[in-house]
Amino acid sequence: IDPEQILYSGKLTAERTVSFSSPSPLIQPLPGAKFRISRLATGDALLKIQGIASLTANEWCEVIYTGDKFCLVAKGTLQ
């Protein structure tokens, strides 16, 4: 399991949101931390990525932490 690779493969019947959080304000991701989220899931519902992007079936995106917030750096279609 790779925590930087997040894969959604189940059918989405309602909109879902991926959020990046920490158990404490004192614990924050390091600047440059990145995650790739892939959605293999079927269904018409959107997979929202913390207000940064929305994924439909067979899409992916990559987000990076700047030190202040997560930002979208890439998005595409799965082949």
Side-chain angles (χ1 to χ4, degrees):
I1 296 175
D2 185 348
E4 293 179 1
Q5 298 279 342
I6 303 166
L7 176 65
Y8 286 84
S9 59
K11 182 177 181 176
L12 295 182
T13 57
E15 188 174 282
R16 303 285 186 237
T17 301
V18 175
S19 296
F20 304 102
S21 63
S22 134
S24 164
L26 300 175
I27 302 171
Q28 295 296 317
L30 294 173
K34 65 181 168 181
F35 298 93
R36 179 175 290 222
I37 301 104
S38 300
R39 180 176 171 208
L40 299 174
T42 60
D44 294 332
L46 291 175
L47 179 63
K48 292 189 171 187
I49 314 302
Q50 192 169 314
I52 302 168
S54 295
L55 301 180
T56 60
N58 297 313
E59 288 189 326
W60 64 272
C61 73
E62 190 169 283
V63 297
I64 192 165
Y65 188 66
T66 64
D68 291 324
K69 62 182 180 175
F70 281 95
C71 295
L72 181 70
V73 293
K75 183 178 176 186
T77 302
L78 296 169
Q79 300 296 322

